[in-house]
Amino acid sequence: MIGRIVKEAAIDHREGTSGLIFNEPLLWERGSKGRTAFSMPKCDVPEAAVDADLVRDDLDLPDLSELEVVRHYTRLSQWNFGVDSGMYPLGSCTMKYNPKINDKLATLPGFARAHPLQDDELSQGVLEMVWNLEQFLSAITGLGATSLQPAAGAHGEYAGMQVFAAYHRSQGRQRTKILIPDTAHGTNPASAALCGYTSVGIKIGADGILDPAEVAELMDEDTAGIMITNPNTLGLFESNLKEIADIVHAKGGLLYGDGANMNAILGVADLGRIGVDVLHFNLHKTFSTPHGGGGPGSGPICVAGHLEQFLPVPRVVKDGEMFRVVDECGTALGSLHPFFGQIGVMLRAYCYILSLGADGLRRTSEMAVLNANYIKEKLKDVYELAFDQPCMHEAVFSDGKQKDHGVTTLDIAKRLMDLGYHPPTIYFPLIVHGAIMIEPTESESKQQIDAFIEAMRAIAIEAEQDPELLKASPQRFKVGRLDEVAAARKPVLQG
Ligand SMILES: *Cc1c(COP(=O)(O)O)cnc(C)c1O
């Protein structure tokens, strides 16, 4: 009985997902022969015969009215779940709201129609934007120089590892290893491996962050440096970073900062002063590009002044009042990307940064951190918290308390869909068994966050009183549990 009441109460604040319950036939299953979406004006020239070879009669295309086509695609668009339709607390991804004005500005014809082979003289606006954005990102990180070339976060890591390799070459000896803590993002060891490095794992301390003594133990002169995700994938700030930087530098190594989570520390932490040598941003996470569907993204790297010579080309330089493109540079990596990178994503970031200003960016991070801590405090009595201490932009829980009732993280995530929310990131980071990683971002109102908390609390009660319900969720959709492994291994790519 209580279970039923909870179910109904929880469903009360369901919103935004009803599009997912429509059935939608294929276009071929609709329509009727001869129905069309257009009408041609009456022919006012003599009819001529068409060469029979040019006429194809083997095409099986459906005949539909305009309204049928519009409805079909509108419904399909509603099967999607995005930040614009509901709260999307997907940890590690910063699925925040991207102001639409930035999309509009990024498609201004002067930018959108600029051609990368246009002369510098005809491209001053774009080049000035690129140059200014590089200055902004350098200022935000406290580092010396920036390249906007990399096309995604992992591409930035790859570029950063190439900078490491170029630096060590310039020192006369290549090194073979990279230290990577358990709390790094999974792309970090992959990027290091692509550049020929062997990654050496470091266990984190009992408080969820790196212990400098562990780093000192492993750091040697065959190790190119360390890659640290900060804030780390537990949502914790690596507060020993300065000490770690000193240990790594003393052995001639470099410190890579994975800055995909910069949304938590904009205007708060000066990474240059802390000792970071190379850092990538995810413009598509932190600075206003809708993402999650596979791109486009942008993963600029910022480097300490002494590494600027190794940045990829082309670079934009300011020459008096003019901005120029420089294609060669002695020790540079060469080019990572045709032309300049993802100009549209850069424009969104540029507009976002300009519209918020330094104070606004700082406030963004403060609110993102406040929201995550609010959720952490409001849920920690019903969900096991991996590390009970102040978090940054995300809080990592687990199914520790629900397991006794046979309810797992996956069940909780599926049930949240019934209640109108995109599930959080689950089973990541790997070091927390059954992880549930929640990142609310700064965009959500207190009212919305309270509704989410209420849904999570209702699920915790359901887990005790009606575990079968959770095992059978989601229930409000056309399809229930999918075989996610089969979907990846044997994808059906045809309608
Ligand atoms: C998202 C993310 C990445 C990878 O970024 P992509 O743009 O998806 O390649 C790297 N590190 C961290 C910490 C991330 O959250």
Side-chain angles (χ1 to χ4, degrees):
M1 181 60 193
I2 296 176
R4 167 114 37 86
I5 292 168
V6 168
K7 244 182 287 175
E8 282 162 8
I11 282 185
D12 262 357
H13 54 244
R14 172 185 55 83
E15 53 186 18
T17 52
S18 56
L20 294 166
I21 62 179
F22 289 135
N23 263 322
E24 187 64 19
L26 298 177
L27 284 178
W28 280 263
E29 291 160 16
R30 277 183 190 283
S32 141
K33 204 79 208 137
R35 199 175 284 170
T36 63
F38 60 88
S39 51
M40 300 286 277
K42 213 165 168 198
C43 183
D44 59 357
V45 292
E47 281 190 20
V50 180
D51 185 344
D53 289 349
L54 296 177
V55 181
R56 291 185 60 179
D57 54 11
D58 57 337
L59 286 180
D60 170 28
L61 293 177
D63 291 9
L64 300 147
S65 71
E66 181 172 326
L67 179 57
E68 283 170 313
V69 174
V70 168
R71 282 193 181 148
H72 177 73
Y73 286 108
T74 304
R75 287 186 183 130
L76 289 189
S77 74
Q78 291 169 348
W79 283 8
N80 215 342
F81 189 101
V83 178
D84 291 350
S85 50
M87 187 171 164
Y88 204 135
L90 194 70
S92 189
C93 295
T94 312
M95 302 301 287
K96 62 180 179 178
Y97 179 68
N98 306 293
K100 299 292 172 272
I101 183 75
N102 299 329
D103 287 340
K104 192 162 172 64
L105 294 171
T107 51
L108 286 176
F111 289 119
R113 296 196 194 141
H115 194 282
L117 292 177
Q118 247 166 238
D119 284 348
D120 294 356
E121 286 71 23
L122 294 175
S123 309
Q124 287 297 298
V126 178
L127 297 181
E128 182 175 356
M129 181 278 292
V130 166
W131 194 85
N132 283 342
L133 181 58
E134 287 186 0
Q135 309 305 308
F136 290 164
L137 297 181
S138 299
I140 289 170
T141 51
L143 289 165
T146 297
S147 165
L148 299 173
Q149 276 255 318
H155 201 201
E157 293 167 26
Y158 170 80
M161 286 300 101
Q162 292 287 8
V163 169
F164 270 38
Y167 167 77
H168 286 297
R169 252 194 317 275
S170 78
Q171 300 296 298
R173 194 171 76 84
Q174 198 46 273
R175 299 186 174 201
T176 58
K177 295 180 286 180
I178 294 276
L179 304 182
I180 301 187
D182 292 351
T183 43
H185 194 262
T187 46
N188 289 189
S191 303
L194 270 180
C195 298
Y197 289 119
T198 306
S199 41
V200 177
I202 316 181
K203 289 227 164 324
I204 47 145
D207 50 358
I209 60 170
L210 267 176
D211 175 358
E214 285 283 325
V215 179
E217 178 109 341
L218 292 166
M219 184 65 208
D220 60 21
E221 284 174 7
D222 213 19
T223 301
I226 187 168
M227 281 183 104
I228 299 182
T229 300
N230 181 44
N232 67 25
T233 56
L234 291 168
L236 304 176
F237 189 81
E238 290 290 348
S239 39
N240 301 321
L241 207 54
K242 172 95 185 72
E243 210 179 328
I244 292 167
D246 292 344
I247 293 167
V248 171
H249 290 153
K251 294 275 164 104
L254 297 174
L255 169 53
Y256 187 92
D258 179 329
N261 295 332
M262 282 296 288
N263 205 52
I265 54 175
L266 295 171
V268 179
D270 182 332
L271 297 158
R273 265 176 57 203
I274 291 175
V276 171
D277 296 294
V278 184
L279 175 136
H280 83 262
F281 275 99
N282 278 39
L283 294 190
H284 46 293
K285 288 180 183 169
T286 313
F287 297 112
S288 190
T289 282
H291 68 109
S298 177
I301 51 168
C302 307
V303 297
H306 69 108
L307 299 173
E308 178 169 5
Q309 55 181 311
F310 304 118
L311 284 177
V313 288
R315 302 217 49 213
V316 176
V317 294
K318 191 168 183 190
D319 179 5
E321 286 303 295
M322 288 287 286
F323 296 92
R324 299 204 176 280
V325 178
V326 179
D327 268 319
E328 76 287 331
C329 162
T331 38
L333 296 181
S335 186
L336 288 169
H337 194 285
F339 306 112
F340 304 104
Q342 312 278 23
I343 294 288
V345 180
M346 293 172 204
L347 276 161
R348 289 177 179 83
Y350 185 58
C351 298
Y352 185 72
I353 292 172
L354 279 179
S355 63
L356 286 175
D359 291 346
L361 289 178
R362 189 189 168 102
R363 185 148 171 79
T364 294
S365 288
E366 288 169 352
M367 292 307 291
V369 171
L370 179 65
N371 286 348
N373 278 285
Y374 181 65
I375 289 178
K376 174 176 75 69
E377 288 304 309
K378 290 281 191 181
L379 290 180
K380 73 179 189 186
D381 59 328
V382 287
Y383 291 98
E384 194 169 285
L385 196 54
F387 291 89
D388 189 3
Q389 54 186 294
C391 63
M392 300 300 288
H393 57 302
E394 60 200 2
V396 181
F397 297 93
S398 77
D399 56 5
K401 291 189 203 267
Q402 284 72 36
K403 266 198 316 238
D404 292 346
H405 306 286
V407 169
T408 64
T409 288
L410 185 69
D411 304 326
I412 296 164
K414 296 290 184 193
R415 181 66 176 147
L416 257 179
M417 293 167 67
D418 274 340
L419 306 192
Y421 296 95
H422 192 285
T425 295
I426 55 173
Y427 300 108
F428 178 82
L430 301 176
I431 45 173
V432 175
H433 192 80
I436 305 174
M437 187 194 216
I438 298 173
E439 179 178 5
T441 82
E442 71 283 5
S443 332
E444 301 298 340
S445 64
K446 176 163 183 301
Q447 189 181 19
Q448 176 64 77
I449 292 176
D450 281 334
F452 173 76
I453 289 167
E454 200 189 317
M456 286 293 287
R457 295 190 70 88
I459 293 172
I461 298 174
E462 287 174 350
E464 285 176 24
Q465 298 176 349
D466 196 354
E468 289 315 310
L469 170 77
L470 267 72
K471 295 255 137 231
S473 56
Q475 297 179 334
R476 303 188 54 84
F477 301 101
K478 273 167 19 70
V479 289
R481 299 260 173 132
L482 300 171
D483 181 341
E484 285 156 11
V485 176
R489 296 267 161 82
K490 298 181 196 153
V492 180
L493 300 174
Q494 248 179 337

